[in-house]
């Protein structure tokens, strides 16, 4: 991987890190689930794209989040 994956503050993220959402996000295709600002997401997985991470949240499994909406906890 040539580029590092960074959160909204520029902190480098790694597999297994814990992040917090900085904005309310509506999840498409989940029946109207909204993830609230401040939601803690544990054990993230990096994807090949430095702008995206993959995570499991209590209501949604296999969720892909844009790194611009998270900060390292």
């Amino acid at each position: 991987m040539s580029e590092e994956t960074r959160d909204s503050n520029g902190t480098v993220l790694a597999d297994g890190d814990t992040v917090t959402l900085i904005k309310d996000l509506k999840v498409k295709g989940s029946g109207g689930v909204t993830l609230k600002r401040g939601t803690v997401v544990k054990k993230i997985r990096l994807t090949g794209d430095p702008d995206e991470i993959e995570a499991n949240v209590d209501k949604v499994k296999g969720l892909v989040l844009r790194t611009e909406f998270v900060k390292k906890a």
Side-chain angles (χ1 to χ4, degrees):
M1 203 157 42
S2 59
E3 277 190 71
E4 294 176 323
T5 302
R6 296 181 178 268
D7 69 2
S8 60
N9 295 331
T11 307
V12 177
L13 296 173
D15 275 332
D17 279 351
T18 299
V19 296
T20 306
L21 297 181
I22 60 170
K23 179 181 177 186
D24 287 358
L25 299 174
K26 290 183 180 174
V27 181
K28 292 182 182 176
S30 65
V33 172
T34 300
L35 299 176
K36 299 292 184 189
R37 184 172 63 105
T39 299
V40 175
V41 181
K42 297 179 182 179
K43 297 181 183 175
I44 64 166
R45 290 177 303 285
L46 302 182
T47 63
D49 185 346
D51 294 329
E52 295 178 343
I53 57 172
E54 190 176 328
N56 289 334
V57 187
D58 53 358
K59 300 170 190 161
V60 186
K61 304 297 180 209
L63 179 67
V64 175
L65 294 170
R66 304 264 317 156
T67 55
E68 64 197 78
F69 300 126
V70 300
K71 68 176 181 179
K72 191 167 181 177

